[in-house]
Amino acid sequence: MANLRVAVDVGGTFTDICIFDESTQSMRVTKVPSTPDNPMDAVLNGVKRANIDLSDVELFSHGTTVATNALITRNFPKAAMVTTKGFRDVIEIRDGTKDDLWDAYSDVSGPYIRRRDRFEVTERIDYAGNIVSPLDEEEARKLGRLLKKRGVDTVAICFINSYANVAHEVRMREILTEELPGASISTSAEILPEIFEHNRFNTTVANAVLGPLVSGYVEKLDKSLTNDGYAGELLLLHSGGGSMTSEMVKRFPVRLAASGIAAGAIAAQHVAEQCGFDNAVGLDMGGTSTDISLVADGELRVTNDWEVEYGHPIVFPSIEVLTIGAGGGSLAHIDIAGSLRNGPQSAGADPGPACYRRGGAEPTNTDANLWMGRLGTDLADGEMTLDRASSKAAIESKVAGPLGLDIDAAADSIIKVANANMADAVRLVSIRRGLDPRDFALIAFGGAGALHGADVAKELNIPTIVVPPSPGVTSALGCLLVDIQHDLSQMFTGSAEDADAEAVEQHFKALELEGRDRLRHEKVAEADGVFERGISMRYQGQWRSLQVKMGTGPHALREAVQLFHEEHEKQYAFRQDETPVEIYQLHLKALGKTPKPSFKPSPVSSKDPGEPLEVREVYFEGKWHSTPVYQRENLPSGAAFIGPAILNQIDATTVIPPGSSAVIDEWFNIRITLSTESGEPALATASNDSTTSAN
């Protein structure tokens, strides 16, 4: 009987595999180097390395960077865009904004589809959905033949006001399907039926350019897993915090952008809930980048306003994650002004840090941590041996020499710059929104998160750090904690006070019908389908809207208006109860419940961590300290430490600095409490009994 649940998360440097055995309620993990040229190789290598018999696997979930990397590198197939006459340049004009308002020389990168590949046809629908000019089908067929001659593989159909009437886009798609057999075709009315044309057009264009790439990757992986014995559906994590089957990914490949990033945020939320923290910051530091997520009042922040590149919005609900170029492989370098910088450039998986001895000559965070004794010379349970002499040579030649520092101070400076960068990122998602980091716990994970977590927390005066049992593969764990999820929306503008409640209900029922149809295609049983309603509203005269939960029943709309006032006050520090409220959009989250691992707490057994594996000299705050090094897997729940201490494991290394205390809790998380110079009590506290299971 299939009893394994497997999750694979592909990162920039390593690919992480997490295997949960239902029969024994146990979890094991492994890591393999990522293969940037063909990410699927790393996935299959990981399955092989973990000795997984795919016929024993009940669920296989995958977080992938294929879509994100394709948008970054712009390695697209031949694509074209078809639009209404006069609207060819919508995705180039954009909304007129700039990432840096004061930099006159900074330009937004060009559209995903060049102007020469954007074509116009005669058709027009007005704002109410009335046909003003019918689609010129002869012109459409002539264009289809031209696109075939050009060898176009994928097309985005983006007609003005198609959100109000889909007829012309549907007919254009039928014509192109006849003229371009085998081509991938995306229509804006299906991808994003919303009013703002730049957002709708660009999301559709991104979906189109990703279609052949993502579909090809998913199809090959699905086939390979099936041939090796896997009998279930391949589930892929999407940016909204849910998963999709491979068939639905072919229709909505753009949803896989930020796939792996979302997994880490979901896992951080799980760990925070498990430990009883309503407020937590997720610090997912890998080999190439660090992803910062925020859990406030038990909920992850979700946004509809995001992009992989500035100026090219992807308007699907996405877990809000801030990514910066700070990872174990981030390069330390001296800028033109003679200042020390860290990242965003990275040594990546190949050649990697200097200590890997694969040709890298630039010092990285890994090299600095190795020199300072925070990392041992054996990595990934002895699979890789790090060369301390190579790290020293790189730091001396690139940092210590140019800055006139000794090797210890240079290595320490590299780490401090990296920590400052990450602390600044946390401030952006917390203080800038009026949230005090001291009210939060820091969930530190990723291959390097536990190395830096305590230092980042100290910089922010965050009193408590939680390091999950397998920090290096915690993002992969997030893939096992989600349901199949589809996010649907429909425009519905008008006064909330005058709205016909029955009309609103009928629109929601239409969305639920589509949601059921999608879940049926995903092979979700009727009993496992759950539908959550939402409604976007705004004060009369506002441009931007705010989404709140929507219930059912005769008073649902009135209750949603009250909730809107409350949420508006939380978000913007004011409310206007006397101002009329407008409905802007209806939302539906269609969930297909999937089996998830259930974790059981372990009774606290001993406070004694036992004898260390070794005592190593480690550099902290300008001094070398004799520091005990423990093997984390051997530590019992309840084991307590006074820093300094180092905890090694196969996928990560945890640093407990001098003066701090730490304990292994009943979930085998490491909880680190920082000492405070002021003597003030810690502000971040668990909201409930930490022995209560999140499940």
Side-chain angles (χ1 to χ4, degrees):
M1 237 183 121
N3 63 331
L4 300 180
R5 294 177 194 158
V6 177
V8 179
D9 179 55
V10 177
T13 306
F14 285 102
T15 292
D16 306 329
I17 299 91
C18 181
I19 308 105
F20 182 79
D21 191 327
E22 284 185 307
S23 60
T24 62
Q25 296 291 292
S26 62
M27 186 174 292
R28 57 191 177 93
V29 300
T30 192
K31 297 172 79 74
V32 295
S34 293
T35 51
D37 292 338
N38 187 356
M40 190 178 81
D41 288 345
V43 176
L44 299 178
N45 290 343
V47 169
K48 184 178 179 181
R49 168 78 183 276
N51 294 318
I52 299 171
D53 185 343
L54 287 171
S55 62
D56 292 335
V57 176
E58 177 190 17
L59 182 145
F60 195 103
S61 185
H62 178 28
T64 175
T65 56
V66 169
T68 309
N69 290 343
L71 291 175
I72 292 171
T73 61
R74 298 191 171 219
N75 185 21
F76 300 141
K78 291 202 75 171
M81 172 182 166
V82 180
T83 189
T84 308
K85 270 195 191 306
F87 292 88
R88 181 184 185 186
D89 295 317
V90 163
I91 60 174
E92 195 137 17
I93 296 170
R94 302 182 302 101
D95 56 5
T97 62
K98 296 181 68 173
D99 192 20
D100 186 348
L101 180 64
W102 307 110
D103 188 347
Y105 298 99
S106 174
D107 291 325
V108 175
S109 58
Y112 293 138
I113 295 180
R114 299 171 300 178
R115 195 171 195 272
R116 71 181 74 171
D117 297 318
R118 304 197 297 265
F119 302 90
E120 299 176 339
V121 295
T122 301
E123 72 84 35
R124 190 61 187 264
I125 290 172
D126 70 11
Y127 73 96
N130 302 311
I131 295 177
V132 177
S133 300
L135 174 66
D136 188 329
E137 295 198 10
E138 184 179 344
E139 188 179 346
R141 287 195 180 278
K142 184 178 179 181
L143 175 58
R145 291 191 289 270
L146 174 63
L147 296 181
K148 184 177 181 179
K149 189 181 295 185
R150 287 192 174 199
V152 169
D153 298 316
T154 181
V155 182
I157 302 173
C158 305
F159 289 163
I160 195 70
N161 294 329
S162 62
Y163 70 91
N165 185 339
V166 304
H168 285 176
E169 284 196 352
V170 169
R171 183 58 186 146
M172 187 74 210
R173 180 175 190 159
E174 291 171 351
I175 292 171
L176 290 182
T177 300
E178 294 169 8
E179 300 293 338
L180 285 170
S184 173
I185 301 175
S186 300
T187 63
S188 72
E190 179 187 25
I191 301 303
L192 192 74
E194 295 187 9
I195 189 170
F196 293 115
E197 58 268 18
H198 171 52
N199 291 346
R200 176 161 50 89
F201 285 17
N202 198 83
T203 303
T204 306
V205 164
N207 195 77
V209 297
L210 290 175
L213 295 171
V214 172
S215 296
Y217 170 80
V218 170
E219 201 171 289
K220 289 177 184 176
L221 179 59
D222 199 5
K223 184 177 180 180
S224 181
L225 294 175
T226 301
N227 290 341
D228 289 342
Y230 179 52
E233 291 281 353
L234 170 62
L235 297 182
L236 294 108
L237 189 75
H238 63 65
S239 60
S243 60
M244 306 165 68
T245 62
S246 55
E247 284 303 312
M248 291 304 289
V249 166
K250 293 174 185 177
R251 288 175 60 187
F252 303 100
V254 71
R255 295 231 63 185
L256 293 193
S259 164
I261 295 173
I266 293 163
Q269 181 190 33
H270 166 76
V271 173
E273 184 181 357
Q274 192 180 65
C275 295
F277 291 104
D278 283 342
N279 298 327
V281 174
L283 182 80
D284 180 4
M285 185 179 182
T288 307
S289 61
T290 295
D291 302 321
I292 311 291
S293 57
L294 190 80
V295 180
D297 296 326
E299 299 288 336
L300 283 165
R301 293 184 65 94
V302 176
T303 180
N304 288 334
D305 184 16
W306 66 286
E307 63 269 316
V308 173
E309 283 185 274
Y310 184 82
H312 307 291
I314 298 174
V315 190
F316 273 118
S318 175
I319 292 175
E320 192 171 31
V321 178
L322 176 61
T323 300
I324 64 169
S330 292
L331 299 175
H333 58 280
I334 310 298
D335 67 12
I336 194 170
S339 297
L340 177 62
R341 302 288 181 181
N342 193 302
Q345 302 90 344
S346 174
D350 186 17
C355 58
Y356 283 14
R357 291 185 297 181
R358 293 177 179 169
E362 306 290 323
T364 65
N365 292 327
T366 298
D367 292 303
N369 278 311
L370 179 63
W371 177 257
M372 294 164 69
R374 300 184 179 196
L375 273 178
T377 54
D378 287 338
L379 196 65
D381 203 27
E383 287 295 317
M384 184 181 292
T385 300
L386 305 183
D387 182 34
R388 203 160 177 259
S390 296
S391 294
K392 180 182 180 182
I395 295 169
E396 283 184 330
S397 63
K398 303 295 183 179
V399 176
L403 293 179
L405 300 173
D406 63 48
I407 181 70
D408 299 339
D412 191 37
S413 298
I414 291 171
I415 297 303
K416 284 182 175 176
V417 172
N419 293 336
N421 290 342
M422 288 183 280
D424 282 344
V426 174
R427 292 184 183 102
L428 287 176
V429 302
S430 57
I431 294 174
R432 193 168 71 170
R433 294 197 175 100
L435 302 172
D436 189 340
R438 294 175 299 174
D439 295 332
F440 289 71
L442 185 74
I443 314 297
F445 58 103
L451 265 173
H452 292 254
D455 286 339
V456 174
K458 186 175 182 181
E459 182 112 359
L460 295 161
N461 291 319
I462 294 177
T464 304
I465 305 98
V466 180
V467 181
S470 301
V473 296
T474 296
S475 287
L477 171 64
C479 296
L480 294 179
L481 301 172
V482 300
D483 296 310
I484 291 174
Q485 176 182 318
H486 292 281
D487 299 284
L488 298 94
S489 63
Q490 187 176 68
M491 299 303 300
F492 188 99
T493 55
S495 167
E497 184 177 352
D498 300 332
D500 183 344
E502 182 57 31
V504 173
E505 178 65 21
Q506 290 306 313
H507 278 82
F508 272 119
K509 285 183 176 178
L511 287 175
E512 288 178 1
L513 193 63
E514 184 180 349
R516 284 192 176 89
D517 183 60
R518 291 194 187 184
L519 292 180
R520 195 160 41 247
H521 277 86
E522 305 262 41
K523 300 180 181 178
V524 174
E526 189 78 20
D528 292 329
V530 176
F531 303 95
E532 298 177 0
R533 296 179 177 185
I535 185 167
S536 289
M537 293 185 281
R538 58 192 179 188
Y539 288 121
Q540 191 175 70
Q542 283 186 327
W543 174 52
R544 297 191 182 276
S545 58
L546 182 64
Q547 182 179 336
V548 297
K549 292 180 181 179
M550 175 78 172
T552 57
H555 305 298
L557 187 55
R558 189 186 315 156
E559 292 166 356
V561 170
Q562 289 304 313
L563 185 57
F564 167 76
H565 289 305
E566 295 169 9
E567 288 297 318
H568 198 280
E569 186 174 24
K570 285 182 183 178
Q571 292 275 349
Y572 305 111
F574 76 96
R575 58 190 289 169
Q576 296 177 331
D577 292 56
E578 304 306 316
T579 302
V581 174
E582 295 177 336
I583 301 173
Y584 172 70
Q585 196 172 30
L586 307 181
H587 305 272
L588 183 77
K589 184 182 292 184
L591 298 170
K593 294 296 182 180
T594 59
K596 301 176 188 64
S598 58
F599 303 97
K600 296 180 180 179
S602 172
V604 174
S605 56
S606 173
K607 292 186 177 181
D608 183 11
E611 290 298 315
L613 295 175
E614 61 171 320
V615 176
R616 190 162 70 218
E617 292 299 306
V618 182
Y619 194 80
F620 291 104
E621 295 297 335
K623 296 180 182 178
W624 289 92
H625 295 254
S626 296
T627 303
V629 179
Y630 297 90
Q631 190 65 29
R632 183 174 178 181
E633 292 87 348
N634 299 335
L635 297 172
S637 58
F641 308 85
I642 298 295
I646 301 287
L647 276 60
N648 280 343
Q649 59 191 109
I650 184 173
D651 58 324
T653 298
T654 301
V655 172
I656 303 168
S660 302
S661 61
V663 64
I664 309 294
D665 70 11
E666 65 274 24
W667 306 102
F668 290 99
N669 300 303
I670 305 170
R671 300 200 194 195
I672 304 171
T673 303
L674 297 181
S675 58
T676 58
E677 295 179 7
S678 64
E680 294 181 359
L683 296 183
T685 56
S687 63
N688 53 27
D689 191 332
S690 63
T691 61
T692 302
S693 169
N695 300 284

